[in-house]
Amino acid sequence: MNFFDGYIEGDKPVIADFFAGWSDPCKLMDPVLMELKEQLGDRANVVRIDIEKEPVCVEMFKIWSVPTVIIFRKGQELWRKTGIIPAHEILTNLNYYIR
């Protein structure tokens, strides 16, 4: 078990961004994640997981490329996409799965 397991078990949705500091596409996701945090407030947690610091999470969730965004709720993976993703697409999927 790692730090992340307990975090995603709750009722509050978690938007997890798996990233690498050396990746330019990951850097482009920074403002997207800030926008999500502002729009969602306390309705969902937005977290970033550095793939180089959390290899157990990388293996557990089969992260093959970055950035990868996964939406979790109650320990379940609800949605996943790799690449640069606009905030509205993440919000649309979050709202679809947690209605």
Side-chain angles (χ1 to χ4, degrees), residues 19-34:
F19 78 100
W22 45 261
S23 166
D24 288 336
C26 291
K27 292 174 186 171
L28 292 173
M29 285 298 294
D30 288 344
V32 171
L33 297 167
M34 294 301 290

Side-chain angles (χ1 to χ4, degrees), residues 69-83:
V69 174
I70 303 176
I71 298 174
F72 295 96
R73 185 171 184 208
K74 297 182 182 178
Q76 298 292 317
E77 179 179 320
L78 303 176
W79 180 83
R80 162 191 300 237
K81 188 166 182 182
T82 299

Side-chain angles (χ1 to χ4, degrees), residues 6-23:
Y7 197 64
I8 64 172
E9 295 296 323
D11 191 46
K12 185 184 284 191
V14 175
I15 299 169
D17 171 49
F18 292 84
F19 78 100
W22 45 261
S23 166

